[in-house]
Amino acid sequence: MPGRVNETRGPLSNCSLADVKNRSGVVILSTTNLGFMDMTLNMLESIKRTKVCVNTTVIAEDQKCYRYLSERAKGDPAVHVVLTNSGESQSREIKRSDRRSYYALFNKRQEYVLSLLEQGLEVLFTDADSFWFRDPFPYFRGDFDMSMIDPRSPYPNRTEKTWYCAGFVYFKPTNVTILFVNTWINAMKHNAKIGRLLADQNQMNFLLRVDQPVHVNVQPLDTNIFPWGPKFYELLAKKANYSTVVMHAASIRGHAAKVKKFKSSNMWLVDTFEVSHKNTVSSFHGVSLLLILILALAVGCCCCFCCLYWCCFPDHPESD
């Protein structure tokens, strides 16, 4: 029944295949690992509530994250989970203090973007710590190469102080964009080769400021309706009359701090199971293991322990 297949709605997106086809030619792209998996699910839930139905690709940076998200997205015509092909990260939150691992994780995102641009697709890259209130796509109309926020310059001006945020960017597959992203990637590879630790955002802004390799037409986003973390909460405290489209929790440092802020503004949409799943699995295994051991000792058979454990938990997670 082709009609019924097109009408099937995804568990993470609530979108049908027909909905997604109505917005062909564009992809929402995000990356995550086990340490930010709950944040990613929170973002996806916020997108779901806006009723935006766009082909969404989430690149999982480790096996545990990939397995869980793949199961959650099974049968969803809008959300596709892909395991990274450029080296897996550790299954935990990678903190900024671990600069080498932190930059290694974030500085490869542009290659994912480039692979989609080279297919002629428009790409909305969004960090997992974003929260969607409304459909942002109407703000990406017009003639430009890239679109993003500039927290340092008065909207919509591009000044010598301009410093764009690389965590929420709309890329159009123009020749200029593809050339720029290629140069951006090569610059970061060179940095890695010589041992220079530099964030992708810093490298992007250095290139944009000197028009290397070409001038990029950047369409700025109004930070009153596309605020970064601290500005959003400042506007919220002032009860400013702006209708936020997307908030990106940049400059709120660390997973715990982001979750706390989201909860303070009723923006944490993930239920207890989702939030604690990473720890619940290991705790559940630990308690069950103890019960099985007691049973094995009671019947005096150590084989019972092995058999019962492997029968009950064939897919137990490996140790990190």
Side-chain angles (χ1 to χ4, degrees), residues 225-258:
I225 57 176
F226 287 91
W228 68 99
K231 177 158 187 175
F232 173 80
Y233 287 100
E234 177 187 329
L235 293 173
L236 201 63
K238 292 179 179 178
K239 298 182 179 178
N241 190 24
Y242 295 111
S243 186
T244 305
V245 180
V246 175
M247 185 277 277
H248 173 213
S251 299
I252 299 173
R253 300 289 172 81
H255 177 273
K258 292 177 191 288

Side-chain angles (χ1 to χ4, degrees), residues 44 60 74 83 112 114 133 184 191 198 204 222 251 284 289:
L44 290 173
K74 186 178 290 185
L83 181 65
Y112 305 146
L114 181 63
F133 295 90
W184 186 7
N191 291 339
L198 193 64
M204 177 189 75
D222 185 351
S251 299
F284 179 66
L289 194 60

